[in-house]
Amino acid sequence: MIDIQRIRNNKDEVIELLSRKNVPSEIIEKAFALDEDWRSKTTEVEQLKARKNALSKEIGKLKRENKDASEVLAEIEKISHSIEEIEVLAQEKEAELKNLLLIIPNTPNIDVPVGKDETYNREEKKWGEIPSFDFEPKSHDELGEQLGIFDFQRAAKISGARFVVCKKMGAALERALINFMIDVHTKENGYIEVLPPYLVKAAALYGTGNLPKFEADLFKVDGGEFYLIPTAEVPVTNLHRDEILSEEDLPISYCAFTPCFRSEAGSYGKDTKGMIRQHQFHKVELVKFAHPDNSYNELEKLTRDAERILEYLNLPYRRVTLSTGDMSFSSAKTYDLEVWLPSQSLYREISSCSNFEDFQARRAQIRFKPKVGGKTRFVHTLNGSGLAVGRTVVAILENYQRKDGSVVIPEVLRKYLNGAEIIEPN
RNA sequence: GGAGAGAUGGCCGAGUGGUCGAAGGCGCCUGACUCGAAAUCAGGUUUGCGGGUAACCGCAACGGGGGUUCGAAUCCCUCUCUCUCCGCCA
């Protein structure tokens, strides 16, 4: 949530920054006006309440002295009526303002390239050598079906479109990747492993910014108050909701493996074949609670931690900074990591690493108390995929394929697969 | 699913209608003592919002929401969570 004080004190700056995210200025002007209105009514109510409190105390005193209080009671009754009237108005304004603030996106960092869509994303680096094949490289779904490790047809029978059944080395490879990623992040990068719930309440989704605006992207459990998580970001960021952390504990870094569930509403016709876009997929997620003075440094580190997984797997990738028009609602700055897919001859997103600054922390009330200076401050939250497991399988199959349709297993994964070196058709 | 108990400040824990934003303890901060530290002694130490250059003033908050009352941590309703017992269950 954007800080209303920023709108109050630097309205024009906020309008300018949010125009980069295609937010019309009228929305900010509306929030500004609601805030002014709310404040004047609140001030009025509070003055009346102060008078009422004073009179109430007087009654206590009069009663103790066994004196008559009817005159004071009469005045209180009059004040109470006024309070009721104005308070309703103040509460209406407050609710309206709050609802409006909940749908205003985060302001982009000044460094983020300005543009209306992904064509304005800025490439930051490229890593690895794009493999050259002396044959036509196959797509992962073709390879997977030939190898007998993916079964899209039966998945459709069971659950419909956008699901897959992984079998044999397909299933084992997912499991190996999950363990490999978690091992690297916990042992080499200092993340604390957590295994959170996959069903969450609405409040958790408000905290991260998925609600109220993006309900259509989520699966809601019928009849219950639960939602299936779209990413581990939701439960893990909410670990510290309504908490005051110790400054010396920052940054706190978590790593979580979870399935992710997405309705993919509005993506009809996109990536219909294969494992790229599924209703259910696995992800190892990195989440940090950082000191606000150091969060951009932590974003660089977190992104490097994700990149290192790709490097261990020797998968060619590039890093791009998402433009203001392509980044998400809650983010102030996002790096996407895109892995090379030979069958499509392009880079596809495999990780998204963001600094949300205090946007989520303000929604979820995650704060810390500075050692000196007293006043509690909001932490900065960050997260990134480290990595999306299904898409990593896709990238491995496509980049490590051989002419005969077999696939070489990346060296770092072999110890997780009983030493297997190659996936072969059987 | 049934029966009961509970939720108070960073932590522990008192408080059953007004003088309670809240005793006491722990922790933390400042000062004294000390070469220094520990111990001891004295003082201080909640948060959010609004107003004010500031000192400061006001409003709100004792799990969440609602109610009774001139006045609620305290009484009533409701929700959430925790614990105990019974049932069921991987």
Side-chain angles (χ1 to χ4, degrees), chain A residues 76-197:
Chain A
I76 282 192
E77 203 187 327
K78 260 190 357 208
I79 292 176
S80 294
H81 281 303
S82 311
I83 290 176
E84 257 173 68
E85 255 170 58
I86 305 166
E87 198 164 40
V88 169
L89 298 175
Q91 282 166 355
E92 275 170 15
K93 295 297 167 194
E94 189 180 13
E96 213 179 320
L97 176 61
K98 208 178 158 195
N99 289 335
L100 185 61
L101 289 176
L102 281 172
I103 59 165
I104 294 176
N106 198 1
T107 51
N109 182 275
I110 205 73
D111 172 55
V112 171
V114 179
K116 64 179 191 314
D117 58 33
E118 70 275 7
T119 57
Y120 294 86
N121 292 351
R122 183 173 68 215
E123 183 178 283
E124 303 291 350
K125 65 186 274 196
K126 274 185 179 165
W127 183 93
E129 199 144 318
I130 287 172
S132 60
F133 298 94
D134 55 0
F135 58 93
E136 188 64 32
K138 292 175 182 153
S139 68
H140 71 279
D141 45 296
E142 197 181 344
L143 282 163
E145 298 216 80
Q146 281 168 8
L147 290 167
I149 60 172
F150 296 160
D151 190 337
F152 292 101
Q153 287 206 347
R154 289 199 175 89
K157 177 171 68 183
I158 302 164
S159 303
R162 296 207 189 284
F163 288 93
V164 66
V165 175
C166 294
K167 300 191 292 192
K168 300 179 191 171
M169 284 302 276
L173 189 57
E174 285 249 350
R175 224 159 19 89
L177 277 167
I178 292 161
N179 283 325
F180 165 67
M181 290 177 191
I182 290 177
D183 280 352
V184 171
H185 292 311
T186 56
K187 290 173 186 164
E188 296 180 20
N189 302 333
Y191 289 80
I192 299 161
E193 182 178 358
V194 290
L195 189 65

Side-chain angles (χ1 to χ4, degrees), chain A residues 326-388:
Chain A
D326 198 28
M327 62 199 298
S328 72
F329 177 78
S330 301
S331 174
K333 181 174 183 176
T334 299
Y335 291 126
D336 266 11
L337 303 182
E338 301 178 336
V339 71
W340 180 255
L341 292 188
S343 74
Q344 301 180 17
S345 287
L346 48 73
Y347 289 97
R348 281 306 294 256
E349 177 189 343
I350 196 167
S351 171
S352 195
C353 304
S354 304
N355 185 357
F356 303 93
E357 298 184 352
D358 63 5
F359 188 82
Q360 293 180 327
R362 179 171 288 105
R363 285 175 164 243
Q365 293 292 309
I366 308 167
R367 295 171 294 171
F368 73 96
K369 203 170 181 76
K371 259 306 199 208
V372 286
K375 216 162 159 50
T376 53
R377 298 173 67 187
F378 290 109
V379 301
H380 282 190
T381 58
L382 301 90
N383 68 57
S385 348
L387 308 160

Side-chain angles (χ1 to χ4, degrees), chain A residues 49-66:
Chain A
K49 281 188 175 175
R51 175 72 182 144
K52 187 180 170 182
N53 286 343
L55 291 172
S56 274
K57 269 194 181 152
E58 210 168 301
I59 288 175
K61 206 159 75 186
L62 290 171
K63 292 242 158 140
R64 254 175 279 130
E65 295 165 0
N66 282 316

